[in-house]
Amino acid sequence: MKQPVHGGNLVWAAAQIGCPVSSILDFSASINPLGPPPSVLTSIKTALDSLRHYPDPQYTKLRKTLSEWHKLPSEWILPGNGAAELLTWASRDLAAEKHTYVMIPGFRDYWRGLEGFGAKIIPLSFPWPTSDGLNLLDHCQGTEAGIIINNPHNPTGQLFPREALLPLLERFKLVVVDEAFMDFVPPSGQQSLLPWIEAYPNLIIVRSLTKFYSLPGLRLGYAIAHPHHLQRWQRWRDPWPVNSLAVNAGIAAIKDEAFVQQTRQWLSSAYQQLLTGLLHIKGLEPVPSSVNFILVKTEIPSFQLQQELLQQYRILIRDCSTFETLGDRYFRIAVRTFEENHKLLEALSNIFTS
Ligand SMILES: Cc1ncc(COP(=O)(O)O)c(C=O)c1O
């Protein structure tokens, strides 16, 4: 089986070592280990009765909940089958521009959508870690272009200040900002472009409930943009991309303030535990992150390290050699529970001292 280009491919990992999927400890997908919230699981059970009906194609209730949360009219919000589905439609819009800048290294799925619609892609490598995003512009030419940005950025964990992205909105015909990980940033530090959405019809923001609420198997995300984008996407796509279970789960998740607080508390200390532990292992160089994953430079080639961790400890990390420009010396790990982080640190420590 080929090396996967996304984290979280447990079927691939289990096949590598001939063990059941359930015995692998997954650090490769950046998912909140505290979830899914019990309130969400209850809401899914309640929704089982609704399976005999089609979902509301307008997703009125879910949109209303999201619109109250973000203090925006419902027409500016479109739920989708994960952020991935909405990135597909954003790619169709981007493909209509003369060319599209895509940050490298970056989330590989942007290429799928853009290539699928025949977009002319210009890879945009940026110096990281960097304290601002302005230098992105130094590498772009022309105005007849679109750009796709990821903030906070996967895989570096870099958070671009909102003000640094403003020049992109002034310069590009279409700016797509993937904020799939923004919920992990404490509210006082969040750099979402949401406050500017009504002022910039060329801005599309994509969000995900997958990571923060630990729902990758359910598939739920949403886009926020001027209604003229979203109405067009609604005409292009199938009538019921979000199923009824995901609708109920999304509403329950957004209302679960206690889960948000619990996650924030866990993350600040579990992140410190993991970062400090990594800094103590000779041969590893973690890159400080704004979110729930950490990119780490390794003296042992990342694929070899991934295989050793899998075979000896049944731990899966994300080998980052499939990210452009990172080469074979980086891996990415999610921040998990204290006990799981400890297990990983011990395994890494054993490998690097042997
Ligand atoms: C940066 C980024 N955006 C979007 C996604 C896709 O999110 P979803 O599960 O909501 O489709 C991922 C998944 O790994 C991601 O890393």
Side-chain angles (χ1 to χ4, degrees), residues 90-152:
S91 300
R92 185 165 172 180
D93 278 348
L94 284 166
E97 303 302 336
K98 208 163 160 194
H99 45 250
T100 299
Y101 288 98
V102 180
M103 291 163 87
I104 54 166
F107 182 45
R108 190 63 214 177
D109 204 48
Y110 303 143
W111 291 69
R112 169 192 59 82
L114 290 166
E115 284 173 348
F117 291 111
K120 185 167 181 301
I121 301 172
I122 305 184
L124 182 59
S125 78
F126 67 106
W128 58 269
T130 170
S131 58
D132 62 52
L134 281 174
N135 45 28
L136 279 180
L137 271 182
D138 300 344
H139 304 276
C140 303
Q141 286 133 27
T143 51
E144 301 292 295
I147 187 165
I148 182 157
I149 299 287
N150 182 203
N151 197 31

Side-chain angles (χ1 to χ4, degrees), residues 6 81-85 87 107 110 150 152 154 178 180-181 207-211 216 219-221 332:
H6 292 294
N81 195 255
E85 190 225 348
L87 287 166
F107 182 45
Y110 303 143
N150 182 203
N154 175 11
D178 175 359
F181 287 95
R207 290 271 185 122
S208 170
L209 276 83
T210 288
K211 323 286 183 181
R219 315 302 305 130
L220 186 59
R332 191 195 64 204

